[in-house]
Every structure is written in C-alpha cells, then in structure tokens.
Amino acid sequence: MDVARLNNKQLAFHYQKGEGVPMVLLHGYLESMNVYQSFLGQYIKDRSVLILDTPGHGKSEAMFLEQTMEDIAKQIILLLDYLNIQTFAIYGHSMGGYVAQAVVKMVPDRVALLGLLHSNVFADSVEKKENRRREIELIRQGKLPLIAEAFMPRVVAGYNLERLSATIKQWVDDVKTMNPEGIIACLNAMMNRPDNRQLLDGTTPIHLIGSDSDPLLSTETIEGMRKGTAVQYFTSIKNCGHASFVEQPQELAKGIFDALEN
C-alpha cells in the first residue's frame, strides 16, 4: 500500500504497472481496495491497474462529512495526475460505479471506457434515501460492526456464501477498522448523488457487467441500462451475485479483457 497526501487528506492506493491503458478499479460500499488483491494477483497481473481506498473507506480520509461524489472524484483525479496517468479506463463496483460516473463527467476526454460493475446510473429512490438515513443513525449509535455483519453476506449469492465464508469474514473485520465518520460521509455522497442516466447515451463507451443472482441489483435494471447507445460491451456472469471479482473472477477478467482489447 502507498499513501499520497492530496488536499491535505490521506489517500491510500496501489499502482500495479504493466501493459495496456491503465485501468482504475474502484471498490464498493463497506469495502476497500483489499477486496481486489486476489483478483489482481491471479487474473489481471500483467496489466496496469490502479486500486485505491475510496475517501471515507479503508485507509483513505473522507473529504468532508457532507462530501459528494464530485468531491470524491476530484480526489481520484488528483491521484491520477500525481501518478502521471492521463488516459485510463475506470471500473467501479457498486458504489465505486457512482464515483466512476462522477469522474467521467469531470474529465470525459481522459476516459477510454467506463465499466459499471454491478452498478447503475440512477439516483436513489425516496425509499433508498430513507434507508441510508436510518443506517447513518445506526452508525452514530456505534453499530457499524453489526451493519457489516448483516450486509457483507448479502454481497454474494447465497449458494456462494459457504465457499467464500473466510473472505466475507475478512471483509467484516476490515470494516471494523474503518472510521465510522468516513462511512457516513460516503452514505451522504450516495444518498445525494445525481441521476446520471444521460451517460447511457453519452460519448464515453460503457462496459456493463451484471449477473444472474445479484441480490442488490435487479436484472430488470441491468436490461434497462443495456439499451443505452453508449453501452458498447455487456457481460452477464452466471452463478454469481454482487461480487464477481471473488465469485466468478475468471469470467469477470475475460469480460474486462474483451472490452479493453477491442
């Protein structure tokens, strides 16, 4: 792990130098860059890949308690500049997809491909916003560990839970080391993010990645996004929930390579 100090905030990252256009790989809610360690080491070890802890998660400091996706995106763009990465593909898992969209909107001329990994382009519904507000209150009551223990098993399909039990436990343990205020800052950013459906028919090519058993993202939502004219690549992963990078990593890597090499 490396650390940069940008905007007087700590940002933890790891840059794996290799072949091809650099790929930025962003993690999801209650995750850190650690979730990609096995995926990078076994399946995309020869490519240039940047992973990082999203501000507010892992070892990276939140920008503000009321931070926005744009605030997070600005910090990531600063890191890209710091590493002299000009053109890149950016893939985001779940919450990371929301951050990736903000990056695309800020520097569209630098993004070769937007990868939505079990993510969507829509703003939170009224119900979802209320759920996030309740979660913020629970975190303020010191219940972040309980939230992690309840949430993390839902990230994978039920039939994959037993074989990935050690991985899930590690994810839960990682959350227990994170700053609760940083998690709240990211919940605020998700809750208040804009609707980005215009990107589906925009100029930045999109690689949409879904699965057949995602408990957090419906196939109807995926199919609806798939109709966008900017969606040039689509990967549907079988026997998989919301975390293909551990559930079906070989299939995910194949989909990414197919998109990046075309």
Side-chain angles (χ1 to χ4, degrees):
M1 182 187 80
D2 296 302
V3 174
R5 193 134 193 107
L6 304 169
N7 280 324
N8 203 31
K9 298 290 183 178
Q10 177 172 292
L11 184 61
F13 69 94
H14 172 68
Y15 185 31
Q16 170 184 290
K17 293 186 178 181
E19 302 171 355
V21 174
M23 177 173 69
V24 182
L25 191 53
L26 304 176
H27 64 77
Y29 177 61
L30 294 186
E31 298 171 358
S32 72
M33 62 178 164
N34 293 338
V35 300
Y36 292 128
Q37 283 183 339
S38 177
F39 183 59
L40 260 64
Q42 295 186 51
Y43 298 98
I44 51 175
K45 58 186 177 182
D46 295 326
R47 292 201 68 95
S48 291
V49 183
L50 172 64
I51 57 175
L52 58 115
D53 289 343
T54 297
H57 279 59
K59 305 298 183 185
S60 291
E61 296 177 279
M63 302 306 295
F64 319 100
L65 185 59
E66 298 290 338
Q67 71 181 4
T68 65
M69 286 296 162
E70 290 71 26
D71 293 324
I72 297 172
K74 287 176 184 176
Q75 192 76 334
I76 292 172
I77 293 167
L78 279 179
L79 178 62
L80 290 164
D81 293 342
Y82 173 81
L83 295 171
N84 295 314
I85 299 173
Q86 181 61 33
T87 301
F88 55 92
I90 186 164
Y91 279 76
H93 173 235
S94 199
M95 178 188 76
Y98 312 149
V99 178
Q101 292 163 46
V103 171
V104 169
K105 290 167 69 176
M106 287 184 174
V107 289
D109 56 319
R110 294 174 61 178
V111 182
L113 182 67
L114 167 62
L116 297 179
L117 177 57
H118 311 292
S119 190
N120 71 84
V121 296
F122 308 111
D124 273 356
S125 65
V126 173
E127 179 183 7
K128 187 66 175 178
K129 287 182 179 181
E130 187 55 37
N131 288 341
R132 295 203 199 277
R133 290 189 188 98
R134 282 197 289 268
E135 192 155 324
I136 287 172
E137 288 307 311
L138 290 173
I139 294 172
R140 285 177 173 152
Q141 294 168 22
K143 296 181 179 178
L144 180 58
L146 294 177
I147 290 171
E149 289 169 2
F151 177 76
M152 287 309 192
R154 295 178 55 222
V155 172
V156 303
Y159 48 75
N160 290 329
L161 190 55
E162 183 175 354
R163 72 178 175 89
L164 292 171
S165 59
T167 298
I168 297 298
K169 182 182 184 303
Q170 184 59 60
W171 291 355
V172 172
D173 289 344
D174 284 349
V175 174
K176 294 176 181 178
T177 70
M178 296 185 196
N179 183 351
E181 291 293 304
I183 304 301
I184 290 173
C186 286
L187 282 165
N188 282 326
M190 287 192 288
M191 184 169 59
N192 296 312
R193 73 185 188 277
D195 191 294
N196 287 327
R197 69 184 70 205
Q198 74 276 9
L199 293 177
L200 295 173
D201 295 303
T203 57
T204 301
I206 294 174
H207 180 193
L208 183 62
I209 303 169
S211 62
D212 60 358
S213 303
D214 191 334
L216 303 177
L217 185 64
S218 70
T219 54
E220 290 80 10
T221 300
I222 289 289
E223 288 300 320
M225 290 191 292
R226 190 180 174 185
K227 298 174 184 177
T229 57
V231 180
Q232 297 187 11
Y233 311 98
F234 175 64
T235 301
S236 180
I237 302 177
K238 295 181 179 180
N239 302 316
C240 184
H242 196 64
S244 53
F245 47 91
V246 294
E247 293 179 87
Q248 299 295 344
Q250 190 168 2
E251 291 301 313
L252 174 61
K254 182 181 183 302
I256 289 174
F257 287 145
D258 287 347
L260 290 179
E261 293 171 3
N262 281 337

